[in-house]
Amino acid sequence: MITAKPKTSTLFSFSIFAVASAILIYFNASIYFFSKSGQWYNFGILLLLAPVLGYVLYRLLFRLMIIDAGNNQISITYLLTRKSKSYPLNDIIQWHEHVVKVGKTSTYRELELKLAKNKKITIGHKEYTEYEKIIAYLKKKALRKEMKSEK
């Protein structure tokens, strides 16, 4: 059984950014709403930073999952709710590994799984452990469902 978990560095980075953003939002909101010297840029910072913090918290709390692959099925357990759902490999409609060249030498890879009932799961190689083993498992067990990229 292959278990892909979020990397500690990913959780740490998201957490540090969320804390720093929350502190900046708090200070700018207190200056803008409770001070006579509140400026337009304090409100601008609030407008820009609040949605970004919301998205980071969404990713941190609701989208992080543990993926178990083995025994001809894929199990997904969400960290916050501890809800678990298992999908047999027959429920995979298609899967595709997106490879994006970043800079001159590095690449970012992301696995996208499309499952039955319009369920879509994406995991990045920099965000999850055992990424390579999940790809190898899918190539071994569900090769026919791999979507070939157009070049």
Side-chain angles (χ1 to χ4, degrees):
M1 175 106 16
I2 303 165
T3 302
K5 298 178 181 179
K7 289 183 179 179
T8 308
S9 61
T10 300
L11 295 175
F12 182 73
S13 300
F14 278 151
S15 300
I16 292 296
F17 182 79
V19 168
S21 297
I23 290 170
L24 282 172
I25 287 173
Y26 171 76
F27 283 127
N28 281 294
S30 63
I31 289 170
Y32 184 75
F33 292 116
F34 303 116
S35 174
K36 292 180 181 178
S37 65
Q39 300 292 326
W40 63 270
Y41 55 83
N42 295 113
F43 187 68
I45 290 171
L46 291 174
L47 282 178
L48 291 174
L49 204 52
V52 173
L53 177 62
Y55 179 72
V56 167
L57 288 177
Y58 169 74
R59 287 285 308 243
L60 187 61
L61 298 176
F62 295 109
R63 296 259 331 258
L64 290 180
M65 59 193 127
I66 297 173
I67 300 168
D68 295 318
N71 299 330
N72 290 324
Q73 68 178 4
I74 293 178
S75 300
I76 298 154
T77 305
Y78 289 93
L79 292 176
L80 181 68
T81 60
R82 293 289 181 201
K83 288 185 180 180
S84 183
K85 181 74 176 163
S86 294
Y87 298 96
L89 290 181
N90 295 335
D91 280 357
I92 297 176
I93 296 170
Q94 70 181 19
W95 65 273
H96 179 66
E97 183 180 24
H98 298 280
V99 179
V100 178
K101 190 170 184 176
V102 181
K104 293 182 180 178
T105 58
S106 65
T107 59
Y108 178 76
R109 297 180 316 187
E110 181 178 74
L111 172 66
E112 179 180 318
L113 279 169
K114 290 183 183 176
L115 302 166
K117 299 180 184 176
N118 292 332
K119 182 74 174 166
K120 183 172 107 172
I121 299 165
T122 57
I123 61 171
H125 83 286
K126 299 230 179 211
E127 297 174 0
Y128 285 87
T129 61
E130 308 298 339
Y131 178 85
E132 296 294 333
K133 290 181 181 178
I134 295 280
I135 295 291
Y137 179 78
L138 287 172
K139 284 184 179 179
K140 180 180 176 185
K141 296 287 187 174
L143 184 60
R144 291 183 181 172
K145 302 202 177 175
E146 180 179 11
M147 184 178 80
K148 300 294 181 191
S149 60
E150 300 88 22
K151 291 186 181 184

